Amino acid sequence: MRFGFALPQAGSAIGPEGLVTAAKRAEDLGFDSLWVLDRILWPVNPKVPYPIGDGSLPVKYKNVLDPLETLTFAAAHTRRIALGTSVLNLPWYNPVLLARRLTTLDVLSAGRLRVGFGIGWSPDEYEAAGATWEERGKRADELIQALKKIWTTDPVEFQGKYYRIPKSVIGPKPVQKPHPPIYMAAYAPSALKRVATEANGWFPVGIPLSSIGPMFEGIKGMAKDAGRDPSALELIVRANVELHNTPIQKDRVDFTGTLEQIAEDVTTNSARRRSSLTRSFLPASRQRKILSLGWKSSGG
């Protein structure tokens, strides 16, 4: 079991000092990785509710630093800890420009990048990004193919339905070969199949721990059917941690409650999936308390 930590990238108190403190402290405590999210706006009149909790979009998302610039800044102040995106919403991006930004981060961090991809949930953000909501899954599939082509071939040439790259030399290539590990957030059957055929691992968010195991077994089955090694797939569980001073006795959500209750969830998460590499990723909510308590990560 390895633990990751979300950088303080969102909210009214964002700034360089907090980022440096969190990144260095997490590395000193032995955390495996640092993570950032991808939010571009806070709609006043959202077209759809937030998919977690009561549907209200967290106020902290009114102020969000760019994910890749934030990771690059953290990379400059650390030496060992991995740097991950949780997650970049693929259809918002051009594959050539995104490949260059991700490669730059992998090069400048000496190969510490972990790439989490998703397709998002907010039509408002799609509109602001100039991206088409329709066929977003198909666009994500093709964009991943284009990224892999850019990262692994020279000269690069790609002719798809949505993206085209004329025959060109595109460098440098990432430090990690054949490319940085790709993790995908997925729930729908088509998205789970995308994990099985294209990704290095699955990145579930908000799924009960009791459901993650069976779903992951299904992904591994699809990977085997696609001719891939299912044992090579990684599982990265994002734990939306909420610390409370007293135990939650009724209707407790996973990774909420006292430190003791959350520790029980971490133990459960580890015990159910010992055959696969698992990372639990702790968001920045209440992170000062966790860091000050010295919750040290453990390898294994």
Side-chain angles (χ1 to χ4, degrees), residues 189-299:
S190 59
L192 293 173
K193 184 177 180 181
R194 188 179 303 125
V195 175
T197 57
E198 297 289 348
N200 299 98
W202 183 38
F203 210 152
V205 182
I207 297 177
L209 288 175
S210 59
S211 299
I212 289 176
M215 291 178 71
F216 192 47
E217 290 302 314
I219 292 172
K220 291 195 289 186
M222 288 188 285
K224 183 177 180 180
D225 292 342
R228 304 184 70 199
D229 178 7
S231 66
L233 286 174
E234 299 182 35
L235 178 63
I236 303 89
V237 178
R238 174 169 166 170
N240 289 319
V241 174
E242 290 185 9
L243 281 173
H244 294 254
N245 293 324
T246 58
I248 298 176
Q249 303 295 346
K250 184 179 179 181
D251 299 326
R252 188 178 72 87
V253 177
D254 294 329
F255 301 111
T256 65
T258 62
L259 277 176
E260 290 74 19
Q261 287 180 307
I262 295 170
E264 289 178 5
D265 292 334
V266 172
T267 301
T268 299
N269 179 57
S270 176
R272 285 178 177 165
R273 282 161 295 280
R274 290 191 183 277
S275 62
S276 301
L277 173 61
T278 305
R279 294 188 182 94
S280 288
F281 149 41
L282 310 175
S285 174
R286 305 288 186 92
Q287 66 180 320
R288 289 184 180 178
K289 184 171 183 179
I290 294 174
L291 288 178
S292 64
L293 289 170
W295 188 1
K296 188 174 180 64
S297 70
S298 60

Side-chain angles (χ1 to χ4, degrees), residues 7-282:
L7 285 169
Q9 170 206 6
S12 59
I14 53 178
E17 295 83 5
L19 284 172
V20 172
T21 299
K24 287 187 172 182
R25 181 63 171 153
E27 185 168 70
D28 290 344
L29 287 172
F31 278 84
D32 172 75
S33 47
L34 298 169
W35 297 86
V36 291
L37 52 79
D38 197 10
R39 293 263 72 84
I40 58 175
L41 49 75
W42 192 89
V44 175
N45 299 301
K47 295 177 180 178
V48 298
Y50 186 56
I52 299 175
D54 64 1
S56 300
L57 190 64
V59 175
K60 66 180 180 180
Y61 291 153
K62 290 183 177 181
N63 297 282
V64 182
L65 296 175
D66 181 88
L68 297 184
E69 272 79 355
T70 299
L71 285 182
T72 303
F73 182 79
H77 292 275
T78 55
R79 291 293 176 267
R80 176 199 58 79
I81 199 163
L83 307 159
T85 60
S86 171
V87 292
L88 296 180
N89 295 305
L90 273 173
W92 300 355
Y93 295 93
N94 170 281
V96 176
L97 298 180
L98 180 60
R100 180 173 65 174
R101 295 180 69 194
L102 292 171
T103 298
T104 297
L105 178 51
D106 197 51
V107 170
L108 295 182
S109 68
R112 290 187 280 151
L113 177 62
R114 309 288 182 265
V115 186
F117 285 143
I119 61 173
W121 54 269
S122 170
D124 297 287
E125 289 183 309
Y126 268 76
E127 182 179 351
T132 304
W133 179 257
E134 294 75 18
E135 297 187 323
R136 58 194 181 278
K138 293 181 179 179
R139 286 179 175 272
D141 288 339
E142 189 172 295
L143 199 147
I144 291 170
Q145 294 170 14
L147 283 175
K148 289 183 176 180
K149 181 77 74 171
I150 294 167
W151 281 335
T152 60
T153 63
D154 252 339
V156 180
E157 187 172 18
F158 187 84
Q159 298 295 324
K161 179 179 178 180
Y162 308 105
Y163 309 103
R164 293 174 178 81
I165 305 171
K167 193 172 184 178
S168 308
V169 174
I170 301 178
K173 302 302 184 187
V175 171
Q176 300 176 86
K177 305 300 180 188
H179 52 71
I182 295 173
Y183 309 125
M184 293 186 187
Y187 313 99
S190 59
L192 293 173
K193 184 177 180 181
R194 188 179 303 125
V195 175
T197 57
E198 297 289 348
N200 299 98
W202 183 38
F203 210 152
V205 182
I207 297 177
L209 288 175
S210 59
S211 299
I212 289 176
M215 291 178 71
F216 192 47
E217 290 302 314
I219 292 172
K220 291 195 289 186
M222 288 188 285
K224 183 177 180 180
D225 292 342
R228 304 184 70 199
D229 178 7
S231 66
L233 286 174
E234 299 182 35
L235 178 63
I236 303 89
V237 178
R238 174 169 166 170
N240 289 319
V241 174
E242 290 185 9
L243 281 173
H244 294 254
N245 293 324
T246 58
I248 298 176
Q249 303 295 346
K250 184 179 179 181
D251 299 326
R252 188 178 72 87
V253 177
D254 294 329
F255 301 111
T256 65
T258 62
L259 277 176
E260 290 74 19
Q261 287 180 307
I262 295 170
E264 289 178 5
D265 292 334
V266 172
T267 301
T268 299
N269 179 57
S270 176
R272 285 178 177 165
R273 282 161 295 280
R274 290 191 183 277
S275 62
S276 301
L277 173 61
T278 305
R279 294 188 182 94
S280 288
F281 149 41
L282 310 175

